[in-house]
Amino acid sequence: DEKTMSNKNSSEAFNKSIHNLGRWSNSVAVILMFCVPLFTMLIYKVEVDWPTTFKAAMQLCIVFIPTQLTEVISFTPIIGAGGTYLSFITGNVMNMKVPAATAGHRLMNVVPHSEEGEVVSILAIGMSSITTTLIIFVGMFALTPLMPLLSSEVLKPGFNNIMPALMGAMLLPHLVKNRKYVVVPMILATIAGVVVAKYGMVQGYLLIGIMIASVVTAILLTKNEGK
């Protein structure tokens, strides 16, 4: 009917504007990031050892490109297109932006990949980015006198486990609701973390493999339920 067609057109226009704005804003942000070292080099006449620079860059790319591709594939269904553009340019995706979006979804009782979930993700991630920026700005001045205390050996174990604690809090509700679907991924991830040498160098590839195994397991379990 006419109302359904109007809602469809509005949804398509919204998605198109999100992608247009996201592509342009991310492109500008990447260019500005490269401008920092470029202008520093030009203004202060810094000589760059290009072979050494490219060698170091390639080592980083080998580690981070598979990881980043995996994160985009795994996080986009949760935080949506708008949340993806916003979070991947502001950073702290896994330990800040995704938990903020999922907390917003639970608070508003919306499905992550729905239109309502998309809007909630954008608002939650936007406020998370603003809050993080303000906290960092204040922290630069207020926490400087406390740095000797915060860097002490007593508090170091706590700061080293911030991300696992955040990820655990974020995943626990989903694990409780879908216990049988998480057995295989949890076993594979635990084995990979314990057995695989130089885990940090291959974590992107391991994540892809575990994701595929998780999807296959979920499909098989769903089919068995149907029978």
Side-chain angles (χ1 to χ4, degrees):
D1 57 2
E2 196 172 308
K3 184 177 180 181
T4 303
M5 184 62 67
S6 176
N7 291 336
K8 183 178 179 180
N9 292 335
S10 299
S11 177
E12 291 178 352
F14 174 77
N15 290 327
K16 185 177 180 180
S17 64
I18 285 294
H19 286 292
N20 288 336
L21 180 60
R23 289 164 184 162
W24 278 105
S25 61
N26 277 249
S27 299
V28 171
V30 171
I31 292 172
L32 292 176
M33 290 178 185
F34 277 100
C35 284
V36 174
L38 177 62
F39 281 101
T40 301
M41 182 180 66
L42 294 175
I43 292 172
Y44 294 99
K45 296 180 174 56
V46 178
E47 294 185 4
V48 179
D49 185 352
W50 290 110
T52 303
T53 302
F54 283 119
K55 183 178 179 180
M58 288 304 298
Q59 292 176 348
L60 292 173
C61 289
I62 290 172
V63 176
F64 286 107
I65 286 179
T67 303
Q68 294 306 309
L69 290 174
T70 305
E71 288 186 355
V72 172
I73 294 171
S74 57
F75 291 158
T76 300
I78 301 174
I79 60 181
T84 300
Y85 287 120
L86 184 57
S87 61
F88 275 87
I89 205 61
T90 55
N92 286 332
V93 183
M94 184 182 296
N95 59 348
M96 187 67 69
K97 302 307 187 301
V98 174
T102 55
H105 295 153
R106 290 197 298 269
L107 182 64
M108 300 303 296
N109 195 26
V110 296
V111 179
H113 56 269
S114 64
E115 294 181 0
E116 295 84 359
E118 172 93 9
V119 174
V120 171
S121 292
I122 294 173
L123 294 175
I125 293 172
M127 289 305 300
S128 173
S129 302
I130 294 172
T131 303
T132 303
T133 303
L134 292 175
I135 291 174
I136 292 174
F137 182 78
V138 174
M140 288 189 300
F141 299 97
L143 295 181
T144 301
L146 299 177
M147 284 306 297
L149 175 62
L150 297 177
S151 58
S152 66
E153 292 296 325
V154 176
L155 297 179
K156 188 176 180 180
F159 286 108
N160 289 341
N161 291 281
I162 288 177
M163 189 170 73
L166 288 171
M167 293 301 296
M170 181 184 71
L171 288 174
L172 185 59
H174 300 283
L175 298 181
V176 172
K177 292 179 182 179
N178 306 281
R179 298 177 185 176
K180 60 183 178 182
Y181 294 104
V182 303
V183 174
V184 172
M186 289 289 289
I187 293 175
L188 293 177
T190 302
I191 293 174
V194 173
V195 175
V196 177
K198 296 182 179 179
Y199 176 81
M201 298 292 293
V202 295
Q203 61 178 339
Y205 302 102
L206 291 174
L207 284 171
I208 293 175
I210 293 173
M211 285 173 58
I212 294 173
S214 302
V215 172
V216 172
T217 302
I219 292 173
L220 293 175
L221 290 173
T222 304
K223 287 184 176 180
N224 290 333
E225 286 180 356
K227 295 179 181 180

